[in-house]
């Protein structure tokens, strides 16, 4: 049921990803102007991700009717398939952000979605099905939901579950999102719909990220006052200055509890680029032209935390093992599950982008 109040009015707040998770949702890829070779390589990779997560927690996958049998054959029997209409398969951005209250009740938040920029710089023209996914997921789960009156994507926000929200100015203040809202007005709306007390603003996201700098490709909040940051020591890399700006922003702000934020640097995997074969396998469209030699928005921060497990993208890079070691040392109570996900990266994101956790 769609509610007419707000989460803050009702005592609901946005819990951290490292809190207990009950379920994880994905959406099955098939869009041919984003996924190469009729999306077959992406489907195999999505299936690997879904099946790995299903070993830890129940998984549901939204799928179109035309792809149902294909998905069923590739996914473990424990994975639940739900027929649903959507335009592309970024469940983090189109699915509901689920908020909780002190009693453990859960409700969804459906953000306005406009394909990462609408008419200004959106990646495709028709996003009407995507905009309905959050409500549809809530209906399937039997959750009441709020419809937020502004544009936001789940990949644009991270939280510590204790009142702090992390985001980037590049994304939330971009002219394609909410041009009529000031920074202060956006903060007020984030407070109203996520129950947060403080926004930690970072200047920009990852270099070449076509989402206008989603925070989940730059950092990951792994504990209260503890953040993983994508990093490079190559002064010729355009990410070099961006990561240092982010570090400065993290070090000069405290979280909602007044804590100094601990930063764990994880190297970038690369830089990595589209090969000719990869770029030529994608059907051309106005919004998502893939070019051989174009830089990929590759990041190890784009992982998913689920009940003592970190599902980490591996990208065939010399830095895969280094990232694994750093995260294992930083999160000794977690099992690091590495999955080769270059095919997801080719579509513009990674494991965090294609998943949406439902808190317990």
């Amino acid at each position: 049921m769609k509610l007419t109040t707000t989460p803050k009015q009702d005592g609901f707040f946005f819990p951290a990803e490292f809190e207990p998770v009950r379920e994880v949702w994905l959406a099955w890829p098939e869009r041919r102007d984003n996924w190469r070779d009729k999306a077959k390589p992406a489907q195999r990779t999505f299936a690997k991700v879904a099946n790995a997560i299903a070993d830890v927690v129940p998984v549901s996958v939204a799928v179109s009717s035309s792809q149902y049998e294909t998905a069923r054959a590739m996914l473990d029997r424990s994975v639940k398939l739900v027929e649903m209409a959507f335009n592309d398969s970024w469940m983090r951005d189109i699915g509901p952000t689920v908020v909780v209250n002190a009693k453990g009740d859960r409700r969804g938040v459906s953000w306005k979605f406009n394909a990462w920029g609408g008419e200004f710089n959106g990646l495709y023209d028709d996003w009407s099905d995507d905009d309905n996914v959050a409500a549809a997921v809530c209906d399937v789960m039997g959750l009441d939901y709020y419809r937020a009156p502004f544009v936001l994507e789940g990949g644009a926000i991270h939280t510590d579950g204790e009142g702090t929200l992390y985001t980037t100015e590049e994304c939330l203040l971009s002219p394609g999102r909410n041009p009529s809202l000031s920074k202060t007005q956006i903060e007020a709306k984030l407070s109203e719909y996520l129950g947060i007390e403080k926004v930690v603003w970072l200047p920009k996201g990852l270099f070449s990220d076509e989402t206008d700098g989603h925070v989940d490709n730059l950092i990951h909040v792994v504990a209260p006052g503890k953040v993983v940051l994508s990093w490079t020591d190559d002064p010729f890399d355009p990410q070099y200055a961006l990561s240092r700006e982010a570090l400065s922003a993290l070090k000069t702000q405290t979280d909602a509890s007044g804590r100094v934020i601990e930063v764990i640097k994880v190297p970038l995997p690369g830089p990595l680029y589209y090969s000719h074969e990869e770029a030529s396998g994608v059907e051309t469209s106005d919004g998502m032209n893939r070019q051989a030699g174009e830089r990929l928005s590759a990041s190890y921060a784009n992982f998913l935390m689920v009940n003592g497990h970190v599902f980490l993208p591996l990208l065939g890079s010399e830095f895969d093992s280094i990232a694994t070691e750093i995260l294992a040392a930083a999160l000794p109570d977690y099992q690091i599950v590495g999955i080769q996900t270059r095919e997801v990266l080719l579509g513009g994101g990674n494991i965090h982008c294609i998943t949406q956790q439902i808190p317990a």
Side-chain angles (χ1 to χ4, degrees), residues 182-227:
S182 68
K183 187 175 182 179
T184 301
Q185 289 171 321
I186 289 173
E187 285 188 344
K189 290 190 179 296
L190 292 170
S191 174
E192 200 63 43
Y193 282 87
L194 294 169
I196 54 98
E197 300 162 20
K198 180 173 184 178
V199 179
V200 173
W201 291 94
L202 307 180
K204 294 183 178 179
L206 203 70
F207 177 74
S208 79
D209 188 339
E210 60 192 4
T211 65
D212 299 318
H214 269 188
V215 77
D216 71 347
N217 224 13
L218 177 70
I219 70 164
H220 204 116
V221 182
V222 296
K226 191 173 183 178
V227 169

CSV table of all heavy atoms in Angstrom, one decimal, residues 182-227:
chain,number,residue,atom,x,y,z
A,182,SER,N,17.6,23.2,-3.9
A,182,SER,CA,18.9,23.6,-3.4
A,182,SER,C,19.5,22.4,-2.6
A,182,SER,O,18.9,21.5,-2.3
A,182,SER,CB,18.8,24.8,-2.5
A,182,SER,OG,18.1,24.5,-1.3
A,183,LYS,N,20.8,22.6,-2.3
A,183,LYS,CA,21.5,21.6,-1.5
A,183,LYS,C,20.8,21.4,-0.2
A,183,LYS,O,20.6,20.3,0.3
A,183,LYS,CB,23.0,22.0,-1.3
A,183,LYS,CG,23.9,20.9,-0.7
A,183,LYS,CD,25.3,21.4,-0.7
A,183,LYS,CE,26.2,20.4,0.0
A,183,LYS,NZ,27.6,20.9,-0.1
A,184,THR,N,20.5,22.5,0.5
A,184,THR,CA,19.8,22.4,1.8
A,184,THR,C,18.4,21.8,1.7
A,184,THR,O,18.1,21.0,2.5
A,184,THR,CB,19.6,23.9,2.3
A,184,THR,OG1,20.9,24.5,2.4
A,184,THR,CG2,18.9,23.9,3.7
A,185,GLN,N,17.7,22.0,0.6
A,185,GLN,CA,16.4,21.4,0.4
A,185,GLN,C,16.5,19.9,0.2
A,185,GLN,O,15.7,19.1,0.6
A,185,GLN,CB,15.7,22.0,-0.8
A,185,GLN,CG,15.2,23.4,-0.5
A,185,GLN,CD,14.6,24.1,-1.7
A,185,GLN,OE1,15.2,24.0,-2.8
A,185,GLN,NE2,13.5,24.9,-1.6
A,186,ILE,N,17.6,19.5,-0.6
A,186,ILE,CA,17.8,18.1,-0.8
A,186,ILE,C,18.2,17.4,0.5
A,186,ILE,O,17.7,16.3,0.8
A,186,ILE,CB,18.9,17.9,-1.8
A,186,ILE,CG1,18.4,18.3,-3.2
A,186,ILE,CG2,19.5,16.4,-1.8
A,186,ILE,CD1,19.5,18.3,-4.3
A,187,GLU,N,19.0,18.0,1.3
A,187,GLU,CA,19.3,17.5,2.7
A,187,GLU,C,18.0,17.3,3.5
A,187,GLU,O,17.9,16.2,4.2
A,187,GLU,CB,20.3,18.4,3.4
A,187,GLU,CG,21.7,18.3,2.9
A,187,GLU,CD,22.7,19.1,3.8
A,187,GLU,OE1,22.2,19.9,4.6
A,187,GLU,OE2,23.9,18.9,3.7
A,188,ALA,N,17.1,18.2,3.4
A,188,ALA,CA,15.9,18.1,4.2
A,188,ALA,C,15.1,16.9,3.7
A,188,ALA,O,14.5,16.2,4.5
A,188,ALA,CB,15.1,19.4,4.1
A,189,LYS,N,15.0,16.7,2.4
A,189,LYS,CA,14.2,15.6,1.9
A,189,LYS,C,14.9,14.3,2.2
A,189,LYS,O,14.2,13.3,2.5
A,189,LYS,CB,14.1,15.8,0.4
A,189,LYS,CG,13.1,16.9,0.0
A,189,LYS,CD,12.7,16.9,-1.5
A,189,LYS,CE,11.8,18.1,-1.8
A,189,LYS,NZ,10.5,17.9,-1.1
A,190,LEU,N,16.2,14.2,2.2
A,190,LEU,CA,16.9,13.0,2.6
A,190,LEU,C,16.6,12.7,4.0
A,190,LEU,O,16.4,11.5,4.4
A,190,LEU,CB,18.4,13.1,2.3
A,190,LEU,CG,18.9,13.3,0.9
A,190,LEU,CD1,20.4,13.6,0.8
A,190,LEU,CD2,18.7,11.9,0.1
A,191,SER,N,16.6,13.7,4.9
A,191,SER,CA,16.3,13.5,6.3
A,191,SER,C,14.8,13.0,6.4
A,191,SER,O,14.6,12.0,7.2
A,191,SER,CB,16.4,14.8,7.0
A,191,SER,OG,16.0,14.7,8.4
A,192,GLU,N,13.9,13.5,5.6
A,192,GLU,CA,12.5,13.1,5.8
A,192,GLU,C,12.2,11.7,5.3
A,192,GLU,O,11.4,11.0,5.9
A,192,GLU,CB,11.7,14.1,4.9
A,192,GLU,CG,10.2,14.2,5.3
A,192,GLU,CD,10.0,14.7,6.7
A,192,GLU,OE1,10.6,15.7,7.2
A,192,GLU,OE2,9.1,14.1,7.4
A,193,TYR,N,13.0,11.3,4.2
A,193,TYR,CA,12.7,10.0,3.6
A,193,TYR,C,13.6,8.9,4.1
A,193,TYR,O,13.4,7.7,3.8
A,193,TYR,CB,12.6,10.1,2.1
A,193,TYR,CG,11.2,10.7,1.7
A,193,TYR,CD1,11.1,12.1,1.7
A,193,TYR,CD2,10.1,9.9,1.5
A,193,TYR,CE1,9.8,12.6,1.4
A,193,TYR,CE2,8.9,10.4,1.2
A,193,TYR,CZ,8.7,11.8,1.1
A,193,TYR,OH,7.5,12.3,0.9
A,194,LEU,N,14.7,9.2,4.7
A,194,LEU,CA,15.7,8.2,5.2
A,194,LEU,C,15.9,8.3,6.7
A,194,LEU,O,16.6,7.4,7.2
A,194,LEU,CB,17.0,8.3,4.4
A,194,LEU,CG,16.9,8.0,2.9
A,194,LEU,CD1,18.2,8.4,2.2
A,194,LEU,CD2,16.6,6.5,2.7
A,195,GLY,N,15.3,9.3,7.4
A,195,GLY,CA,15.5,9.4,8.8
A,195,GLY,C,16.9,9.6,9.2
A,195,GLY,O,17.3,9.3,10.4
A,196,ILE,N,17.7,10.3,8.4
A,196,ILE,CA,19.1,10.5,8.7
A,196,ILE,C,19.2,11.9,9.4
A,196,ILE,O,18.4,12.7,9.2
A,196,ILE,CB,20.0,10.4,7.5
A,196,ILE,CG1,19.5,11.2,6.3
A,196,ILE,CG2,20.1,8.9,7.0
A,196,ILE,CD1,20.2,12.6,6.2
A,197,GLU,N,20.4,12.1,10.0
A,197,GLU,CA,20.6,13.3,10.8
A,197,GLU,C,21.7,14.2,10.1
A,197,GLU,O,21.7,15.4,10.3
A,197,GLU,CB,21.1,13.0,12.2
A,197,GLU,CG,20.1,12.2,13.0
A,197,GLU,CD,20.7,11.5,14.2
A,197,GLU,OE1,21.7,12.0,14.7
A,197,GLU,OE2,20.1,10.5,14.7
A,198,LYS,N,22.6,13.6,9.4
A,198,LYS,CA,23.7,14.3,8.8
A,198,LYS,C,24.0,13.8,7.4
A,198,LYS,O,24.1,12.5,7.2
A,198,LYS,CB,24.9,14.4,9.7
A,198,LYS,CG,26.1,15.1,9.1
A,198,LYS,CD,27.2,15.3,10.1
A,198,LYS,CE,28.3,16.1,9.5
A,198,LYS,NZ,29.4,16.4,10.5
A,199,VAL,N,24.3,14.6,6.5
A,199,VAL,CA,24.8,14.2,5.1
A,199,VAL,C,26.3,14.5,5.1
A,199,VAL,O,26.7,15.7,5.3
A,199,VAL,CB,24.1,14.9,4.0
A,199,VAL,CG1,24.6,14.5,2.6
A,199,VAL,CG2,22.6,14.6,4.1
A,200,VAL,N,27.1,13.6,4.8
A,200,VAL,CA,28.5,13.8,4.5
A,200,VAL,C,28.7,13.9,3.0
A,200,VAL,O,28.5,12.9,2.2
A,200,VAL,CB,29.4,12.6,5.0
A,200,VAL,CG1,30.8,12.8,4.6
A,200,VAL,CG2,29.3,12.6,6.6
A,201,TRP,N,28.9,15.1,2.5
A,201,TRP,CA,29.0,15.3,1.1
A,201,TRP,C,30.5,15.1,0.6
A,201,TRP,O,31.4,15.7,1.1
A,201,TRP,CB,28.6,16.8,0.7
A,201,TRP,CG,27.2,17.1,0.9
A,201,TRP,CD1,26.6,17.6,2.1
A,201,TRP,CD2,26.1,16.9,0.0
A,201,TRP,NE1,25.2,17.7,1.9
A,201,TRP,CE2,24.9,17.3,0.6
A,201,TRP,CE3,26.1,16.4,-1.3
A,201,TRP,CZ2,23.7,17.3,-0.1
A,201,TRP,CZ3,24.8,16.4,-2.0
A,201,TRP,CH2,23.7,16.8,-1.4
A,202,LEU,N,30.6,14.3,-0.5
A,202,LEU,CA,31.9,14.2,-1.2
A,202,LEU,C,31.7,14.9,-2.5
A,202,LEU,O,30.6,15.0,-3.1
A,202,LEU,CB,32.2,12.7,-1.5
A,202,LEU,CG,32.2,11.8,-0.2
A,202,LEU,CD1,32.5,10.4,-0.6
A,202,LEU,CD2,33.1,12.3,0.9
A,203,PRO,N,32.8,15.5,-3.0
A,203,PRO,CA,32.7,16.4,-4.2
A,203,PRO,C,32.2,15.6,-5.5
A,203,PRO,O,31.2,15.9,-6.0
A,203,PRO,CB,34.1,17.0,-4.4
A,203,PRO,CG,34.7,16.9,-3.1
A,203,PRO,CD,34.2,15.6,-2.4
A,204,LYS,N,33.0,14.6,-5.8
A,204,LYS,CA,32.7,13.9,-7.1
A,204,LYS,C,32.9,12.4,-6.9
A,204,LYS,O,33.5,11.9,-5.9
A,204,LYS,CB,33.6,14.3,-8.2
A,204,LYS,CG,33.4,15.8,-8.6
A,204,LYS,CD,34.3,16.2,-9.8
A,204,LYS,CE,34.0,17.6,-10.2
A,204,LYS,NZ,34.9,18.1,-11.3
A,205,GLY,N,32.3,11.6,-7.8
A,205,GLY,CA,32.4,10.2,-7.8
A,205,GLY,C,33.6,9.7,-8.6
A,205,GLY,O,34.6,10.4,-8.7
A,206,LEU,N,33.5,8.5,-9.1
A,206,LEU,CA,34.6,7.9,-9.8
A,206,LEU,C,34.6,8.5,-11.2
A,206,LEU,O,33.6,8.7,-11.9
A,206,LEU,CB,34.3,6.4,-9.9
A,206,LEU,CG,35.6,5.5,-10.2
A,206,LEU,CD1,36.5,5.5,-8.9
A,206,LEU,CD2,35.1,4.1,-10.5
A,207,PHE,N,35.9,8.6,-11.7
A,207,PHE,CA,36.1,9.2,-13.1
A,207,PHE,C,35.4,8.3,-14.1
A,207,PHE,O,35.4,7.0,-14.0
A,207,PHE,CB,37.6,9.2,-13.4
A,207,PHE,CG,37.9,9.7,-14.8
A,207,PHE,CD1,37.7,11.0,-15.2
A,207,PHE,CD2,38.3,8.8,-15.7
A,207,PHE,CE1,38.0,11.4,-16.5
A,207,PHE,CE2,38.6,9.2,-17.0
A,207,PHE,CZ,38.4,10.5,-17.4
A,208,SER,N,34.7,8.9,-15.1
A,208,SER,CA,34.0,8.2,-16.2
A,208,SER,C,32.8,7.4,-15.8
A,208,SER,O,32.3,6.6,-16.6
A,208,SER,CB,35.0,7.3,-17.0
A,208,SER,OG,35.2,6.1,-16.3
A,209,ASP,N,32.2,7.7,-14.6
A,209,ASP,CA,31.0,7.0,-14.2
A,209,ASP,C,29.8,7.7,-14.8
A,209,ASP,O,29.5,8.9,-14.5
A,209,ASP,CB,30.9,7.1,-12.6
A,209,ASP,CG,29.8,6.2,-12.1
A,209,ASP,OD1,28.8,5.9,-12.9
A,209,ASP,OD2,29.8,5.9,-10.9
A,210,GLU,N,29.1,7.0,-15.7
A,210,GLU,CA,28.0,7.6,-16.4
A,210,GLU,C,26.7,7.8,-15.6
A,210,GLU,O,25.7,8.4,-16.1
A,210,GLU,CB,27.6,6.8,-17.6
A,210,GLU,CG,27.2,5.3,-17.3
A,210,GLU,CD,27.2,4.5,-18.6
A,210,GLU,OE1,27.5,5.0,-19.7
A,210,GLU,OE2,26.7,3.3,-18.5
A,211,THR,N,26.8,7.5,-14.3
A,211,THR,CA,25.7,7.8,-13.4
A,211,THR,C,25.8,9.2,-12.7
A,211,THR,O,25.1,9.6,-11.8
A,211,THR,CB,25.6,6.8,-12.2
A,211,THR,OG1,26.7,6.9,-11.4
A,211,THR,CG2,25.4,5.4,-12.8
A,212,ASP,N,26.8,10.0,-13.2
A,212,ASP,CA,27.1,11.3,-12.6
A,212,ASP,C,27.7,11.1,-11.2
A,212,ASP,O,27.4,11.9,-10.3
A,212,ASP,CB,25.9,12.2,-12.5
A,212,ASP,CG,25.3,12.6,-13.9
A,212,ASP,OD1,26.1,12.8,-14.8
A,212,ASP,OD2,24.1,12.6,-14.1
A,213,GLY,N,28.5,10.1,-11.0
A,213,GLY,CA,29.3,10.0,-9.8
A,213,GLY,C,28.5,9.4,-8.6
A,213,GLY,O,28.5,9.9,-7.5
A,214,HIS,N,27.9,8.2,-8.8
A,214,HIS,CA,27.3,7.5,-7.7
A,214,HIS,C,28.3,7.2,-6.6
A,214,HIS,O,29.4,6.7,-6.9
A,214,HIS,CB,26.7,6.2,-8.2
A,214,HIS,CG,25.3,6.3,-8.6
A,214,HIS,ND1,24.5,5.2,-8.9
A,214,HIS,CD2,24.4,7.3,-8.8
A,214,HIS,CE1,23.3,5.6,-9.3
A,214,HIS,NE2,23.2,6.9,-9.2
A,215,VAL,N,27.9,7.4,-5.4
A,215,VAL,CA,28.8,7.2,-4.3
A,215,VAL,C,29.2,5.8,-4.1
A,215,VAL,O,30.3,5.5,-3.6
A,215,VAL,CB,28.2,7.8,-3.0
A,215,VAL,CG1,27.1,6.8,-2.4
A,215,VAL,CG2,29.2,8.1,-2.0
A,216,ASP,N,28.4,4.8,-4.6
A,216,ASP,CA,28.7,3.4,-4.3
A,216,ASP,C,29.8,2.9,-5.2
A,216,ASP,O,30.3,1.7,-5.0
A,216,ASP,CB,27.5,2.5,-4.4
A,216,ASP,CG,26.9,2.3,-5.8
A,216,ASP,OD1,27.3,3.1,-6.7
A,216,ASP,OD2,26.0,1.4,-5.9
A,217,ASN,N,30.2,3.7,-6.2
A,217,ASN,CA,31.4,3.3,-7.0
A,217,ASN,C,32.7,3.9,-6.5
A,217,ASN,O,33.8,3.5,-6.9
A,217,ASN,CB,31.2,3.7,-8.5
A,217,ASN,CG,31.5,2.6,-9.5
A,217,ASN,OD1,31.7,1.5,-9.1
A,217,ASN,ND2,31.6,3.0,-10.7
A,218,LEU,N,32.6,4.8,-5.6
A,218,LEU,CA,33.7,5.5,-5.0
A,218,LEU,C,34.1,5.0,-3.6
A,218,LEU,O,35.2,4.8,-3.3
A,218,LEU,CB,33.4,7.0,-4.9
A,218,LEU,CG,34.5,7.9,-4.3
A,218,LEU,CD1,35.8,7.9,-5.2
A,218,LEU,CD2,34.0,9.3,-4.0
A,219,ILE,N,33.0,4.8,-2.8
A,219,ILE,CA,33.3,4.4,-1.4
A,219,ILE,C,32.3,3.3,-1.0
A,219,ILE,O,31.3,3.0,-1.7
A,219,ILE,CB,33.1,5.6,-0.4
A,219,ILE,CG1,31.6,6.0,-0.3
A,219,ILE,CG2,34.0,6.8,-0.7
A,219,ILE,CD1,31.3,6.8,1.0
A,220,HIS,N,32.6,2.7,0.1
A,220,HIS,CA,31.6,1.7,0.8
A,220,HIS,C,31.7,1.9,2.3
A,220,HIS,O,32.8,1.9,2.8
A,220,HIS,CB,32.0,0.3,0.4
A,220,HIS,CG,30.8,-0.6,0.5
A,220,HIS,ND1,30.2,-1.3,-0.6
A,220,HIS,CD2,30.0,-1.0,1.5
A,220,HIS,CE1,29.2,-2.0,-0.3
A,220,HIS,NE2,29.0,-1.8,1.0
A,221,VAL,N,30.6,2.1,2.9
A,221,VAL,CA,30.6,2.2,4.4
A,221,VAL,C,30.5,0.8,4.9
A,221,VAL,O,29.5,0.1,4.7
A,221,VAL,CB,29.4,3.1,4.8
A,221,VAL,CG1,29.4,3.2,6.4
A,221,VAL,CG2,29.3,4.4,4.2
A,222,VAL,N,31.5,0.4,5.7
A,222,VAL,CA,31.7,-1.0,6.1
A,222,VAL,C,31.4,-1.1,7.6
A,222,VAL,O,31.2,-2.2,8.1
A,222,VAL,CB,33.0,-1.6,5.8
A,222,VAL,CG1,33.2,-1.6,4.3
A,222,VAL,CG2,34.2,-0.8,6.4
A,223,ALA,N,31.3,0.0,8.4
A,223,ALA,CA,31.0,0.0,9.8
A,223,ALA,C,30.8,1.5,10.2
A,223,ALA,O,31.2,2.4,9.4
A,223,ALA,CB,32.2,-0.6,10.6
A,224,PRO,N,30.2,1.7,11.3
A,224,PRO,CA,30.0,3.1,11.7
A,224,PRO,C,31.4,3.8,11.8
A,224,PRO,O,32.4,3.3,12.4
A,224,PRO,CB,29.4,3.0,13.1
A,224,PRO,CG,28.7,1.7,13.1
A,224,PRO,CD,29.5,0.8,12.2
A,225,GLY,N,31.5,4.9,11.1
A,225,GLY,CA,32.8,5.7,11.1
A,225,GLY,C,33.9,5.0,10.3
A,225,GLY,O,35.1,5.4,10.5
A,226,LYS,N,33.6,4.1,9.4
A,226,LYS,CA,34.6,3.3,8.7
A,226,LYS,C,34.2,3.2,7.2
A,226,LYS,O,33.2,2.6,6.9
A,226,LYS,CB,34.8,2.0,9.4
A,226,LYS,CG,36.1,1.2,8.9
A,226,LYS,CD,36.2,-0.1,9.7
A,226,LYS,CE,37.5,-0.9,9.3
A,226,LYS,NZ,37.6,-2.1,10.2
A,227,VAL,N,35.1,3.7,6.3
A,227,VAL,CA,34.7,3.8,4.9
A,227,VAL,C,35.9,3.2,4.1
A,227,VAL,O,37.1,3.5,4.3
A,227,VAL,CB,34.4,5.2,4.5
A,227,VAL,CG1,34.3,5.4,3.0
A,227,VAL,CG2,33.2,5.7,5.2
